[in-house]
Amino acid sequence: MLKAVILIGGPQKGTRFRPLSLDTPKPLFPVAGRPLIAHHIEACVQVKELREILIIGFYPQQQMEGFVGDMQALYSSSNINIRYLQEFTSLGTAGGMYHFRDQIRAGNPRAFFVLNGDVCADFPLQELYGFHIGRPASALVTIMSTEATRQQSLHYGCLVFDRESGAVSHYVEKPSSYVSTYINCGVYVCSMDIFTKLAQIFHAKCEEYNCISYCGNGGNGNGKDQGHIKWEQEVLTPLAGTDKLYAMPVPNWWSQMKTAGSAIYANRHYLDLYKRTHPERLANVGQKRGEGDGNLICTVFPDVYVHPSATVHHSAVLGPNVAIGPGVIIGPGVRIRESIVLEQAQIKDHTLILHSIVGRGCSIGAWTRVEGTPSDPDPNKPFAKMENPPLFNNEGKLNPSITILGCFVQIPAEKILLNSIVLPHKELSRSFKNEIIL
Ligand code: GDD
Ligand code: GTP
């Protein structure tokens, strides 16, 4: 039996994803029509022998229970248990796993997967597990690895490993100078003996912290819970070079999801993946859809996802790389490209939406133009990943990026909104360019 753990962090994480994460936790943000971590769950469900998925984070239970219920219902026939385990406070990327060790070990799984909730990929989990069990019995962790450019590798965990055996000899988390172009994808297979290692780290910390409080420095000294353990720095780095850490390089598509720009990029790739995995989810050119004439999609440039409850006028043109959420109403002559439109948004006649994310319940008037600037990986650089540029450049100006409308934003007719971020519930009265509208 196998299990999977999905690490999703909590409300104070994912700040670069604001204002989109203000009303929806980032792990539940819809990409290609499905919450971000629903793609992780979908990949886990494909693994033979996998029986339980534990989502670990510190979002309040009530923010996750609806999603977990939906997922359980969806996979009820496949005999897979899905649960959310809430950390009482941020315990770091390994602290939560250690805290909930009894839940992970229950039922004696042979191994378990760990997936960072904020990555998107064509997850090759079955191969990763096959690779892991093919390693020597000493192997505790196998890391899924991909290649990045020399410069970009510094933003990730970097690893040096033997190309034949996969044994990792060196692991540095976000190094300050070049180590390797092979990076950690935040996807792992762990043997159950990893808990012995985690217990050692935990007990060593307890002793250290007790010593500090004896010496009168107060508590644990850094304001963090002693159960806080960093997986990368405290577990992976010391395991490197001990014959316990392995890496499997994979050529599959993979990306982090840190900014709104990366959501548009991930949306494109997950839609593309549907061609192979779930072609029925994609809207086809000229396809007539179930519920009455209001749902006739006239012109579609693949790939496009339209929720069955959305109403799209037959003269609208959608695609490529567009996802339309539930209850959205799209008027005549509307043009949408490289964008995500979230549930219950209304887009009136002849409006153009380009490289943008339109939040839940937004209303956009007729003949309006909402446009952003993509920040895709450089296609001329092999292995280039998404750049996640800072919001502002050195001169304090907003870097051109995806246009984001928070939930329930209203834009009147005949306005232009370019490279801007609009906070929830704003009613705009004029056009804006390169601004954050608070
Ligand atoms: N449950 C829980 N509790 N989850 C957490 C916590 C926590 O306290 N802290 C972080 N996470 C989750 C995040 O939500 C995210 O899904 C994942 O753990 C990674 O955490 P980050 O701290 O955001 O790390 P990162 O994304 O900058 O870097 C990690 O991922 C890269 C790949 O995307 C590292 O593992 C890198 O080495 C790796 O390259
Ligand atoms: P973004 O907001 O999208 O940048 O996500 P992030 O995952 O980088 O975290 P965020 O920016 O909210 O937090 C800033 C920094 O705080 C992170 O880069 C971490 O170094 C640190 N941090 C705060 N809480 C935690 C935690 O619980 N676990 C870990 N690993 N780091 C934390």
Side-chain angles (χ1 to χ4, degrees), residues 12 43 112-113 115 118 136 147 186 199 205 252 262 273 286 296 306-307 312 333 342 353 411 423:
Q12 76 261 40
F112 64 101
F113 293 95
L115 296 96
D118 65 353
E147 231 175 319
K205 281 187 132 171
N252 301 26
S262 45
L273 206 59
L296 181 77
V306 180
H307 190 275
V312 182
L342 300 182
I353 314 275
I411 307 180
L423 264 73

Side-chain angles (χ1 to χ4, degrees), residues 12-17 26 58 90-93 118 224 228 230 232 258:
Q12 76 261 40
K13 303 275 301 163
T15 47
R16 280 175 283 173
F17 208 66
K26 181 171 113 171
F58 49 100
S90 158
L91 293 176
T93 34
D118 65 353
K224 279 196 170 150
H228 190 282
K230 293 180 189 153
E232 295 82 0
K258 294 287 187 193

Side-chain angles (χ1 to χ4, degrees), residues 111-322:
F112 64 101
F113 293 95
V114 178
L115 296 96
N116 284 1
D118 65 353
V119 298
C120 306
D122 175 9
F123 299 102
L125 298 183
Q126 194 76 53
E127 290 99 300
L128 198 63
Y129 178 61
F131 183 90
H132 182 74
I133 53 175
R135 300 308 100 194
S138 60
L140 290 184
V141 181
T142 293
I143 307 177
M144 168 175 153
S145 172
T146 186
E147 231 175 319
T149 64
R150 265 178 92 97
Q151 194 195 10
Q152 287 180 329
S153 66
L154 309 183
H155 306 302
Y156 300 90
C158 292
L159 34 112
V160 181
F161 63 98
D162 182 86
R163 289 309 295 267
E164 293 228 325
S165 68
V168 175
S169 54
H170 201 48
Y171 182 92
V172 191
E173 181 62 18
K174 305 191 181 103
S176 47
S177 59
Y178 173 74
V179 171
S180 162
T181 53
Y182 282 96
I183 60 165
N184 170 7
C185 293
V187 178
Y188 318 87
V189 185
C190 301
S191 297
M192 300 319 284
D193 287 342
I194 192 66
F195 289 110
T196 316
K197 180 77 193 162
L198 289 175
Q200 283 166 3
I201 296 168
F202 180 78
H203 292 299
K205 281 187 132 171
C206 287
E207 271 178 32
E208 188 189 325
Y209 288 160
N210 285 340
C211 169
I212 291 170
S213 47
Y214 275 134
C215 304
N217 287 346
N220 58 29
N222 63 4
K224 279 196 170 150
D225 194 275
Q226 51 186 251
H228 190 282
I229 306 175
K230 293 180 189 153
W231 173 250
E232 295 82 0
Q233 291 89 337
E234 294 175 75
V235 184
L236 299 184
T237 301
L239 282 184
T242 63
D243 208 26
K244 294 190 167 90
L245 186 64
Y246 288 82
M248 183 179 104
V250 299
N252 301 26
W253 161 68
W254 173 89
S255 174
Q256 262 186 336
M257 179 128 135
K258 294 287 187 193
T259 59
S262 45
I264 298 281
Y265 179 68
N267 189 58
R268 183 195 312 159
H269 280 276
Y270 274 132
L271 289 173
D272 186 52
L273 206 59
Y274 285 169
K275 280 195 220 142
R276 197 184 74 212
T277 59
H278 296 91
E280 75 286 355
R281 287 185 191 160
L282 295 169
N284 293 328
V285 181
Q287 183 188 16
K288 197 167 186 160
R289 309 175 64 247
E291 298 150 37
D293 281 339
N295 277 341
L296 181 77
I297 297 179
C298 200
T299 311
V300 160
F301 294 103
D303 301 322
V304 172
Y305 166 86
V306 180
H307 190 275
S309 63
T311 308
V312 182
H313 193 270
H314 62 82
S315 62
V317 181
L318 307 181
N321 308 318
V322 166

Side-chain angles (χ1 to χ4, degrees), residues 12-145:
Q12 76 261 40
K13 303 275 301 163
T15 47
R16 280 175 283 173
F17 208 66
R18 287 176 189 164
L20 295 169
S21 54
L22 289 178
D23 72 325
T24 312
K26 181 171 113 171
L28 302 187
F29 182 82
V31 180
R34 302 173 64 80
L36 176 59
I37 58 168
H39 295 278
H40 295 60
I41 294 176
E42 200 163 281
C44 290
V45 170
Q46 307 301 321
V47 178
K48 285 182 262 155
E49 283 187 72
L50 195 130
R51 286 292 154 266
E52 190 167 53
I53 301 171
L54 301 169
I55 302 166
I56 302 184
F58 49 100
Y59 287 97
Q61 197 77 35
Q62 61 272 28
Q63 285 198 33
M64 297 303 297
E65 62 195 10
F67 169 75
V68 171
D70 290 351
M71 288 291 117
Q72 271 169 341
L74 188 62
Y75 297 112
S76 55
S77 59
S78 51
N79 193 19
I80 289 180
N81 195 21
I82 303 172
R83 285 194 296 154
Y84 175 57
L85 303 175
Q86 189 193 341
E87 289 167 29
F88 52 93
T89 176
S90 158
L91 293 176
T93 34
M97 272 191 271
Y98 184 65
H99 183 76
F100 292 112
R101 60 195 177 279
D102 290 344
Q103 317 268 3
I104 301 174
R105 287 191 294 207
N108 273 332
R110 294 211 302 170
F112 64 101
F113 293 95
V114 178
L115 296 96
N116 284 1
D118 65 353
V119 298
C120 306
D122 175 9
F123 299 102
L125 298 183
Q126 194 76 53
E127 290 99 300
L128 198 63
Y129 178 61
F131 183 90
H132 182 74
I133 53 175
R135 300 308 100 194
S138 60
L140 290 184
V141 181
T142 293
I143 307 177
M144 168 175 153
S145 172

Side-chain angles (χ1 to χ4, degrees), residues 108 137 346 384 386 433:
N108 273 332
Q346 279 194 39
M386 275 289 301
K433 191 176 157 190

